[in-house]
Amino acid sequence: MTSYKIALLDGDGIGPEIMAEAVKVLNLVAQRNNLDLELLPGAFGASAYFSHGHSFPDETKALCDTADAILKGPIGLSHEESKKIPVDMQPERGALLPLRRRYDTFANFRPVYLPKALARFSPLKPEIIGDGIDFIIIRELVGGLYFGSKEAGVNEQGKRYVKETLEYDEDQIARIARVAFETARKRNKVLHNIHKSNVLKSSVLWNEVMGEVGTEFPDVEVRHFLVDAAATYLCLNPGQFDVMVMENMFGDILSDQGGGILGSLGLMPSACLGPDKAYYEPSHGSAPDIAGQGIANPYSMIGSVAMMLEMSFSLDQEAKNIWHAMQSVFAQGYSTADLSAPGSDVRMISTDGFGDLVVEELSKL
Ligand code: IPM
Ligand code: MG
């Protein structure tokens, strides 16, 4: 029997509700693959700050250190609630970025996927969606503005000022470039490199290193897009993209746009890979406005489980089965109230209703 330890950080807001559904799926997969899964719940986020005095408590760090993989729910509070927590302890700065840094999870995979049968979720016209949307954003996750040095104060003119730095060295760029080229090689052998080299020097170096790493992948065609143009083309013609690679901040913004063209960030799972450890999380926030109502769709959390099974445990077939099970629940017309669009014939179900149906579909596969 193979044993895995998985840290479960359910986070804030809708986190615990959608995590519960992800665990149902995990348990089924464990049972039928004869896996011994040790699930290790840990406090993380704003809830951890209130219960443990720290948004990434030492106990949680220790638990993540021993885990084979980490499954993380969304974190964060409403704008007003956030003010109850000191700025540096707020869950984004106090927990999430330290988690990324601790495990050096530089490679963030954000699939933007909507089969044609689910086109009703998307705000785009059917002629733009064509046969469906299917591309992946690879976002550098531990460099750039997010992690550069910062200062704030009052300048010589007596004005409040702030300074944040965008730094990358060539090794940081080369390692994400390699991940992107390898991913493109496994898919359609086209890589869109997203940059802003007409203004930013960081992008000039980025492109130089992309070109150097590209010589190791002569079979992959690279197409260069300025980030602002890429934002437009994501709406006008998303079908041209297959694998996109970009620095941290650009990836934050364009991946949310990816969720927008699908119709909801609730359809965006993700994987964050480091040299020794990976964690998996929905790309969306904790949606405190709908927490506790049982209306949040657990797709992105369950999709993150699928990504974990594939990328950390090489259970590729089970990962595919999970995607398939979720798509077939949607294809039968079911939806939760948080997802936009579907017509009047939608069969509305709750968060746990969705999880149960996914488990039911999955058990047939
Ligand atoms: C994301 C989120 C985070 C980010 C926030 C919560 C700090 O928006 O994972 O995209 O900006 O990276
Ligand atoms: Mg984001």
Side-chain angles (χ1 to χ4, degrees):
M1 192 180 245
T2 317
S3 306
Y4 293 120
K5 286 188 178 142
I6 303 174
L8 298 182
L9 316 180
D10 58 8
D12 304 320
I14 59 170
E17 297 160 57
I18 58 175
M19 182 64 90
E21 303 315 309
V23 168
K24 286 183 192 166
V25 171
L26 258 182
N27 284 336
L28 173 62
V29 170
Q31 189 197 324
R32 66 186 191 177
N33 290 277
N34 205 21
L35 303 176
D36 173 26
L37 289 190
E38 206 181 322
L39 303 178
L40 311 166
F44 190 79
S47 50
Y49 175 77
F50 295 122
S51 60
H52 291 66
H54 199 297
S55 48
F56 190 7
D58 286 344
E59 301 91 291
T60 304
K61 289 186 182 132
L63 183 145
C64 291
D65 287 350
T66 65
D68 297 301
I70 301 165
L71 189 61
K72 180 199 147 287
I75 47 134
L77 296 177
S78 66
H79 187 68
E80 278 312 305
E81 286 292 302
S82 284
K83 293 183 187 155
K84 295 183 183 157
I85 304 183
V87 172
D88 287 332
M89 216 25 94
Q90 287 170 0
E92 296 81 359
R93 269 183 226 90
L96 182 58
L97 298 187
L99 174 74
R100 290 175 180 171
R101 190 197 290 271
R102 186 173 186 87
Y103 301 116
D104 196 20
T105 52
F106 68 97
N108 180 205
F109 290 73
R110 297 194 158 177
V112 184
Y113 175 62
L114 196 72
K116 193 174 183 180
L118 303 188
R120 67 180 191 277
F121 286 109
S122 173
L124 300 185
K125 294 185 187 128
E127 57 269 34
I128 291 182
I129 296 176
D131 287 335
I133 296 169
D134 183 8
F135 63 92
I136 183 159
I137 292 182
I138 297 186
R139 167 187 178 193
E140 199 292 327
L141 200 60
V142 295
L145 276 174
Y146 276 59
F147 289 90
S149 57
K150 299 171 195 293
E151 60 177 60
V154 177
N155 67 15
E156 283 163 8
Q157 290 79 43
K159 304 283 185 199
R160 285 171 299 160
Y161 81 99
V162 62
K163 186 160 136 192
E164 303 194 279
T165 47
L166 198 175
E167 262 182 72
Y168 274 106
D169 72 27
E170 56 181 322
D171 291 351
Q172 284 175 295
I173 302 170
R175 66 179 183 169
I176 191 70
R178 236 168 236 120
V179 167
F181 275 103
E182 273 155 15
T183 308
R185 178 173 269 174
K186 284 191 216 133
R187 290 179 51 122
N188 291 342
K189 299 190 168 47
V190 177
L191 175 62
H192 280 86
N193 174 44
I194 310 302
H195 63 90
K196 186 74 186 172
S197 68
N198 53 351
V199 175
L200 300 179
K201 290 235 174 155
S202 53
S203 282
V204 174
L205 178 63
W206 178 277
N207 290 353
E208 246 173 62
V209 177
M210 274 294 151
E212 289 156 16
V213 173
T215 60
E216 298 164 26
F217 299 85
D219 52 325
V220 176
E221 182 195 338
V222 184
R223 297 184 193 153
H224 301 279
F225 267 65
L226 290 166
V227 61
D228 46 354
T232 307
Y233 283 110
L234 277 173
C235 296
L236 296 183
N237 180 13
Q240 72 186 290
F241 299 112
D242 191 55
V243 179
M244 304 173 83
V245 62
M246 61 202 79
E247 65 89 47
N248 202 345
M249 186 85 200
F250 296 165
D252 179 45
I253 298 168
L254 289 194
S255 62
D256 265 32
Q257 193 180 344
I261 67 177
L262 297 185
S264 172
L265 276 177
L267 299 173
M268 291 279 295
S270 86
C272 310
L273 274 47
D276 307 311
K277 182 104 57 189
Y279 85 90
Y280 300 84
E281 66 177 354
S283 302
H284 57 73
S286 61
D289 51 323
I290 61 163
Q293 299 175 34
I295 61 172
N297 198 288
Y299 179 97
S300 58
M301 195 75 240
I302 299 177
S304 300
V305 168
M307 294 185 84
M308 177 175 77
L309 293 176
E310 181 191 331
M311 299 172 107
S312 282
F313 305 141
S314 303
L315 288 164
D316 298 21
Q317 188 55 47
E318 283 293 32
K320 284 199 188 97
N321 292 342
I322 293 174
W323 291 118
H324 190 85
M326 290 204 289
Q327 306 304 346
S328 63
V329 173
F330 279 135
Q332 291 165 52
Y334 291 108
S335 185
T336 46
D338 63 328
L339 289 183
S340 48
S344 52
D345 52 350
V346 65
R347 300 159 87 181
M348 203 61 85
I349 46 174
S350 60
T351 306
D352 68 330
F354 188 91
D356 290 341
L357 285 173
V358 171
V359 167
E360 198 182 309
E361 285 299 320
L362 187 57
S363 11
K364 295 183 199 158
L365 301 171

